[in-house]
Amino acid sequence: MTYQIHRYPAELIDVVRLGDGERVVIRPVLPQDEDLTTAFFRSLSAPARYDRFMTSLRELPPELMRRFTQVDYADHLALVAEVFSGGRESVIAEARYVRRPNSLDAEFAVSVAEPWQGKRLASLLLGKLACRAAAMGVRRIVGETLATNAKMISLARKAGFTIQPSPEVRGLMLLEMALPGSQPCNDAEASPLAA
Ligand SMILES: CC(C)(COP(=O)(O)OP(=O)(O)OC[C@H]1O[C@@H](n2cnc3c(N)ncnc32)[C@H](O)[C@@H]1OP(=O)(O)O)[C@@H](O)C(=O)NCCC(=O)NCCS
């Protein structure tokens, strides 16, 4: 198997403590994260996977897995959050942006394993993504979510996204937010999405 090697942005690695003191490592994804990524998506409930992919996906197809784990860290950045328990590493959340070709817009998506939801992990990951995207020249971050996805809509509202129904697809909501220019990304308060 061949990988295209991009500089790994180690400066994006962070260790955070959630409200209840749990230690979580946040880091850019690596090509060798396929097994961890498979285990993470398998661990999501069917409704959570549906909310994430808007289709009943049971497994990530190989091509999608390759795209999810082999990113260039500039036009496509994926962050994973992971914990270590009993000597084992597990991914508990992932978030990514993908820049639209020849555009200042990037699309984002995020998912958090159910036992870890409600601990502000998605907000944290989106803040970090937005900060990095702004530093990479992205000026607008956009996303789509089902109108029934109350958690994502609430998160987006609190983070300052504008939310409107898709004019083309019934039941789909469009989320968007302008990003300010580049600013330091290691300070949660500096995040364009600090909610
Ligand atoms: C949507 C999702 C990413 C939120 O992740 P999370 O880590 O639980 O979110 P956070 O803890 O950062 O919560 C941020 C805000 O979201 C909203 N939220 C989170 N959980 C909620 C719940 N159970 N009910 C209502 N609102 C909720 C709240 O407004 C919350 O703000 P608060 O903490 O000030 O109350 C998570 O539920 C998920 O992974 N869902 C399945 C996949 C998905 O829907 N992805 C989004 C499509 S791209």
Side-chain angles (χ1 to χ4, degrees):
M1 185 180 295
T2 54
Y3 299 137
Q4 198 181 348
I5 306 294
H6 298 279
R7 188 187 78 80
Y8 185 73
E11 67 277 13
L12 299 183
I13 300 173
D14 197 6
V15 179
V16 298
R17 294 236 175 233
L18 302 183
D20 40 14
E22 286 143 315
R23 183 177 176 277
V24 175
V25 175
I26 294 177
R27 62 170 176 83
V29 77
L30 285 162
Q32 54 268 44
D33 284 331
E34 288 197 3
D35 289 349
L36 286 172
T37 304
T38 299
F40 168 67
F41 283 111
R42 273 191 194 149
S43 79
L44 296 180
S45 66
R49 272 203 304 271
Y50 193 83
D51 277 340
R52 169 65 176 80
F53 295 105
M54 296 186 214
T55 176
S56 309
L57 201 60
R58 291 186 62 187
E59 295 279 344
L60 290 193
E63 175 57 20
L64 191 57
M65 174 60 76
R66 194 192 61 75
R67 258 204 296 140
F68 268 28
T69 51
Q70 296 181 38
V71 303
D72 65 8
Y73 308 109
D75 289 340
H76 184 173
L77 172 68
L79 295 175
V80 294
E82 62 185 0
V83 289
F84 297 81
S85 169
R88 280 193 52 209
E89 182 185 7
S90 355
V91 168
I92 57 167
E94 62 91 32
R96 68 190 59 241
Y97 73 73
V98 182
R99 192 164 176 160
R100 288 179 175 159
N102 307 313
S103 166
L104 298 180
D105 292 355
E107 296 175 20
F108 80 90
V110 58
S111 47
V112 177
E114 272 102 335
W116 295 87
Q117 290 182 8
K119 296 171 185 264
R120 305 203 54 79
L121 250 181
S123 308
L124 184 73
L125 289 171
L126 284 183
K128 287 178 178 292
L129 273 189
C131 209
R132 174 71 171 185
M136 292 289 119
V138 171
R139 287 294 164 262
R140 204 167 63 127
I141 192 144
V142 302
E144 294 180 342
T145 194
L146 297 170
T148 49
N149 192 345
K151 293 184 208 173
M152 187 60 221
I153 290 173
S154 170
L155 191 169
R157 184 169 295 117
K158 283 198 178 166
F161 282 83
T162 58
I163 305 168
Q164 53 192 341
S166 162
E168 284 151 17
V169 183
R170 207 164 150 223
L172 191 68
M173 304 302 281
L174 306 181
L175 319 172
E176 59 178 68
M177 186 164 68
L179 296 181
S182 182
Q183 54 188 301
C185 285
N186 48 5
D187 174 1
E189 296 304 313
S191 158
L193 285 180

